Amino acid sequence: MAENQTKSSGSTLDDLGIKNAVEHWNLSSKELSEISVQKRLAKVTSTGAIAVDTGKFTGRSPKDRFIVKDDITSDSIWWGDINIPFSPEKFDALYNKVINYLEGKELYIRDCYACADDRYRLNLRVVTQLPWSNLFAHNMFLRPDEEELKNFDPEWTVINAPEFEANPEIDGTRQKNFAILNFTRKIALIGGTGYTGEIKKGIFSALNFILPHMKNTLSMHCSANVGRKGDTAIFFGLSGTGKTTLSADPDRRLIGDDEHGWTDDNTVFNFEGGCYAKTIDLSEEKEPDIWNAIKPGALLENVRFKNGTNEVDFKDSSVTENTRVSYPIYHIDNIQQRSIGQNPKNIFFLTCDASGVLPPISKLTPGQAAFHFISGYTAKVAGTEAGITEPVSAFSACFGAPFMPLHPTVYGDMLSKKMRDSGVKVWLVNTGWSGGAYGTGARIKLKYTRAMITEALAGNLKDVEYAQHPVFGLQYPTSCENVPDEILNPRDTWKDQGGYDKKAQELANKFNKNFEKFAAEATPEILEGAPKQ
């Protein structure tokens, strides 16, 4: 019952065990948008983008993410609360239940791939129950041309069935929703959740195992862009720290906003073909690139409209703080063609410090850089995960622990080597609070963060005067163009400076306590980068 869309000859869902489905292959973004609206699953907004609700889940559910423990993974994965093991037998049984559930249904199939560098290309087949989920895959993964589709051979398969719910007692899941990776069968199986981020993060997690473990290439949870002189900048950070916003720079070409690889020959390449940006409080003035990308083909999630109109109210957080938009990268004018850059010169670790302690920008020694990368300090901001309603301080190794199957020191060692080999400068940038902790202080203004990063990229912070933080040992500039001097020293922004000193020591203790599990494998140089107690 397949419709006649472009696909490789002989391709059928029968290969996956799905029988008698109405198969829609490789529909255009326009077709998928129109079907979503016709089925009353989406609304057209004033800009021509469509808006959907993802249901119960408006963010990732990390405690319901599993990896099948088998011959490939048993001795390689960093098992624990982040990488939760799932038995092959339970996976096979659950897979069969999902396949039987999808029998006879109307399904949407997308042939696409990850990794812009052809040497690492991973062909994907994404099967979705909902048309707008398939639009998300069209936006977020790389898009083969017509001729490639006619000869397409997928290596990995994503099956997305948000309306299927597991039975935890029988199926081995924690609750009714699940996202499971099987490296032997090369399947990402997702059910019980409509949150589209599970699709992209599933493949990102797979690549975070495949590239470092099998291809000696560092995978990174980061955004990246290229300057006019060909220099590449990398921005690490968890959701909500500013990766998407700060890499969308009118004076630099965007490589990508979330997931990249860094090869031995100093190439940085995007895993994806699109962007997945937070839209809460979005405005044209603050983020013109994202604002202008919300046009036909874009997919908005969990937004609400101004009364009596189809104009999105980006201030409305009544559904979630984690309102989102996905769009293909070509919706942005200022992009790096082929999504590949060379010559990394600056790395920025973006941390949303809810305690209001860290300076807004600091330069790091190699030891400090390795320490802060492995620590991955930030605050989980509202909405990015189920149950998070206000900032919660957290440590996420490599600024992406929820997606990192290997031990953090694997990624840390690879990054340290690349730092040394390339001579890259490393900066710690606090995009969180100043003048007090969350609830007392205020979030650092985006225009100041942009100005500091601009000055660092231009080399203008090379010769300014620096001061050293007494607890963290960080070197921070005492002046920066277009930034008030008084915000550069975080202690000076607090009315109660004794309260600041106490909070700084509390945060230092948290850093050192968190690092205890890594200390045995850390070098003396890395340990020297820790805050002082």
Side-chain angles (χ1 to χ4, degrees), residues 16-34:
L16 301 174
I18 302 174
K19 307 293 185 183
N20 303 315
V22 178
E23 303 174 15
H24 300 283
W25 287 77
N26 297 312
L27 297 184
S28 68
S29 58
K30 180 180 179 182
E31 290 170 317
L32 290 166
S33 297
E34 290 175 348

Side-chain angles (χ1 to χ4, degrees), residues 109-123:
I109 306 98
R110 169 78 36 204
D111 286 338
C112 48
Y113 65 98
C115 299
D117 189 324
D118 288 338
R119 296 173 295 177
Y120 304 93
R121 175 168 169 162
L122 185 72
N123 279 359

Side-chain angles (χ1 to χ4, degrees), residues 474-488:
L474 303 169
Q475 297 284 330
Y476 59 88
T478 58
S479 63
C480 179
E481 190 75 18
N482 298 318
V483 179
D485 291 350
E486 56 268 22
I487 78 163
L488 295 171

Side-chain angles (χ1 to χ4, degrees), residues 49-286:
I50 63 169
V52 301
D53 286 349
T54 62
K56 175 183 177 181
F57 292 94
T58 58
R60 290 180 298 102
S61 185
K63 293 185 183 300
D64 300 297
R65 170 190 173 274
F66 306 92
I67 297 175
V68 174
K69 189 172 185 178
D70 56 22
D71 290 343
I72 291 177
T73 60
S74 61
D75 295 329
S76 303
I77 298 294
W78 186 40
W79 300 109
D81 293 338
I82 293 172
N83 299 306
I84 306 168
F86 204 82
S87 79
E89 295 76 18
K90 288 288 187 184
F91 179 88
D92 292 345
L94 183 56
Y95 176 87
N96 290 335
K97 287 178 70 172
V98 174
I99 293 306
N100 290 336
Y101 167 80
L102 294 175
E103 181 175 353
K105 288 186 167 53
E106 194 170 12
L107 301 176
Y108 303 85
I109 306 98
R110 169 78 36 204
D111 286 338
C112 48
Y113 65 98
C115 299
D117 189 324
D118 288 338
R119 296 173 295 177
Y120 304 93
R121 175 168 169 162
L122 185 72
N123 279 359
L124 309 170
R125 177 158 291 162
V126 183
V127 180
T128 67
Q129 187 180 358
L130 299 174
W132 52 262
S133 303
N134 209 261
L135 175 61
F136 177 84
H138 170 274
N139 288 347
M140 294 309 304
F141 295 120
L142 291 152
R143 295 159 287 275
D145 60 31
E146 290 286 315
E147 285 304 309
E148 288 177 309
L149 287 175
K150 292 176 182 178
N151 299 285
F152 194 85
D153 183 21
E155 184 174 351
W156 270 72
T157 301
V158 179
I159 297 178
N160 178 253
E163 295 175 9
F164 173 90
E165 294 184 338
N167 182 332
E169 292 183 4
I170 296 173
D171 298 322
T173 58
R174 186 181 71 100
Q175 49 185 15
K176 295 178 180 180
N177 62 299
F178 54 88
I180 310 173
L181 291 179
N182 188 319
F183 284 92
T184 295
R185 297 186 62 176
K186 298 184 178 180
I187 294 171
L189 185 65
I190 303 165
T193 172
Y195 182 63
T196 55
E198 298 285 12
I199 298 173
K200 78 182 230 90
K201 292 305 186 186
I203 293 303
F204 180 43
S205 297
L207 286 167
N208 286 337
F209 178 83
I210 294 166
L211 292 182
H213 185 60
M214 301 177 178
K215 301 194 176 183
N216 197 36
T217 290
L218 176 63
S219 55
M220 305 178 291
H221 186 216
C222 69
S223 58
N225 60 27
V226 177
R228 293 174 181 173
K229 296 181 180 179
D231 60 297
T232 296
I234 297 169
F235 301 80
F236 284 96
L238 285 171
S239 179
T241 57
K243 291 195 316 302
T244 297
T245 298
L246 294 169
S247 56
D249 185 328
D251 294 323
R252 298 176 67 84
R253 299 185 302 278
L254 180 68
I255 300 174
D257 81 325
D258 198 39
E259 301 164 3
H260 293 80
W262 187 349
T263 70
D264 279 346
D265 58 359
N266 231 18
T267 296
V268 174
F269 64 90
N270 193 357
F271 289 174
E272 301 182 299
C275 301
Y276 191 41
K278 288 175 68 72
T279 61
I280 195 68
D281 291 326
L282 180 69
S283 69
E284 186 174 14
E285 178 184 5
K286 288 192 298 185

